[in-house]
């Protein structure tokens, strides 16, 4: 890999309200998504909002997974950022899609830290 990492940004639509609004369920799915992708989970924190919604992050040795849910819209914004070649962020994103019973997902991958451009970018800060 000529980059430091891969970052999958997923727009997850048509999800089950009850799953997206359940702190423990969202936490379990996100932690398991990391494990399904072969990542090493370090720690995690999740917060339940009132009247609805959950946000959280799973810190992995390879970087992180993050989520923000809008249960009333059946929508979740999911980020999976992995460094190195060992963990595939798409495995985690696909697991989340399946577990949320998503009807539609729009996702893209951003390559992070392309080393051939790093010195130029640092000079422009």
């Amino acid at each position: 890999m000529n980059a430091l990492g891969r970052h999958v940004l997923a727009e997850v639509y048509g999800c089950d309200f009850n799953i997206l609004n359940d702190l423990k369920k969202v936490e379990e799915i996100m932690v398991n998504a990391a494990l399904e992708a072969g990542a090493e989970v370090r720690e995690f924190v999740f917060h339940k909002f009132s009247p609805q919604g959950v946000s959280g992050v799973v810190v992995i040795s390879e970087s992180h997974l993050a989520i923000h849910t809008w249960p009333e819209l059946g929508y979740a914004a999911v980020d999976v950022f992995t460094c190195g070649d060992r963990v595939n962020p798409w495995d985690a994103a696909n697991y989340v899609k399946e577990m949320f019973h998503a009807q539609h997902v729009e996702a893209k991958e951003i390559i992070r830290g392309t080393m051939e451009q790093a010195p130029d970018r640092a000079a422009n800060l």
Side-chain angles (χ1 to χ4, degrees), residues 38-98:
E40 181 179 341
V41 174
R42 291 298 181 164
E43 56 187 298
F44 50 89
V45 63
F46 286 80
H47 177 79
K48 174 80 167 63
F49 293 96
S50 181
Q52 67 252 338
V54 175
S55 289
V57 64
V58 179
V59 178
I60 58 177
S61 294
E62 300 81 7
S63 193
H64 70 272
L65 289 76
I67 188 167
H68 303 283
T69 74
W70 286 262
E72 71 278 18
L73 301 175
Y75 169 76
V78 178
D79 293 0
V80 183
F81 183 14
T82 63
C83 299
D85 294 325
R86 195 177 63 78
V87 177
N88 184 344
W90 289 103
D91 291 342
N94 287 328
Y95 179 84
V96 168
K97 172 187 173 184
E98 180 182 329

Side-chain angles (χ1 to χ4, degrees), residues 2-60:
N2 290 332
L4 295 176
R6 301 166 63 194
H7 197 159
V8 172
L9 306 171
E11 308 290 320
V12 187
Y13 299 98
C15 301
D16 183 304
F17 174 94
N18 293 318
I19 294 172
L20 292 185
N21 203 41
D22 185 326
L23 176 116
K24 288 298 179 190
K25 193 67 175 169
V26 171
E27 179 181 287
E28 175 186 318
I29 289 168
M30 293 298 287
V31 168
N32 285 335
L35 295 172
E36 284 286 321
E40 181 179 341
V41 174
R42 291 298 181 164
E43 56 187 298
F44 50 89
V45 63
F46 286 80
H47 177 79
K48 174 80 167 63
F49 293 96
S50 181
Q52 67 252 338
V54 175
S55 289
V57 64
V58 179
V59 178
I60 58 177

